[in-house]
Amino acid sequence: MLGLLLDDANRRKATLISGISILLIHYIFFVVYPLRAVENCDSLLPILCSQFPTNGADLAATLSDSANSSATWRANLFWDFPYIIIYVIFLASLGAAISVPRPKIFQAVLVTAGALDLVENLLILGALNSGASDATASLVFVAASLKFALLLACIVHLVWLRSLYMFGK
């Protein structure tokens, strides 16, 4: 599907997909996540803490936080799977609408970031099921760090391209 958005004739389609994706991202991030974590008013902080653990004990402590049940963690992680697909499609569509140079590389970086996010979620789910080890915590930390670095690079690239378009080359 990402390859269909490469030519100039489909820019309107890409812009429409970007807009729909923004609405879906907003809905999941600001409506679904808080509803799924009713027990904890501060639901995003533990999720971020689980992505950057220092060791297995730190990850286990974050996951066994009394304010978040195991079911809440699972629900938040399962809702993260469609969110990953949506943000990859959104950024790819936005890149097609802006006409990024070398779109295949841009899309490969986005898909890699999404894959790292999937790996990270699966590792956290595994830690929920069988306990967190230092190796699991290290892998979660590396996957999350690489994911955020790749996403930041893509977003900075898009902002840079847009600023070149707006303010001239």
Side-chain angles (χ1 to χ4, degrees):
M1 173 175 177
L2 299 178
L4 296 175
L5 301 173
L6 295 180
D7 62 353
D8 289 339
N10 287 322
R11 277 197 192 187
R12 286 188 184 161
K13 234 186 261 186
T15 305
L16 177 66
I17 291 171
S18 297
I20 292 169
S21 298
I22 288 172
L23 293 175
L24 287 171
I25 288 169
H26 179 272
Y27 177 75
I28 290 175
F29 196 72
F30 293 107
V31 177
V32 175
Y33 275 163
L35 287 178
R36 298 303 294 179
V38 176
E39 304 111 52
N40 185 8
C41 297
D42 204 8
S43 63
L44 291 180
L45 185 60
I47 291 171
L48 290 175
C49 290
S50 71
Q51 293 178 346
F52 297 106
T54 54
N55 55 38
D58 184 26
L59 181 59
T62 303
L63 295 177
S64 65
D65 182 7
S66 60
N68 281 310
S69 68
S70 180
T72 301
W73 277 106
R74 281 186 183 77
N76 280 339
L77 288 169
F78 284 124
W79 274 107
D80 202 29
F81 290 114
Y83 182 69
I84 294 165
I85 294 166
I86 292 168
Y87 78 67
V88 168
I89 291 173
F90 163 69
L91 289 172
S93 301
L94 195 57
I98 294 175
S99 293
V100 295
R102 297 184 187 94
K104 296 281 187 195
I105 295 172
F106 183 76
Q107 291 171 358
V109 170
L110 284 173
V111 169
T112 303
L116 286 167
D117 203 353
L118 289 172
V119 167
E120 170 197 330
N121 287 354
L122 291 173
L123 287 167
I124 293 172
L125 281 171
L128 275 170
N129 293 332
S130 61
S133 67
D134 286 344
T136 302
S138 295
L139 289 173
V140 168
F141 184 86
V142 168
S145 299
L146 289 174
K147 169 192 73 173
F148 282 119
L150 291 174
L151 288 175
L152 181 65
C154 287
I155 291 168
V156 166
H157 186 65
L158 288 173
V159 169
W160 175 71
L161 283 174
R162 189 65 186 156
S163 66
L164 283 180
Y165 174 77
M166 289 175 63
F167 302 115
K169 294 182 180 183

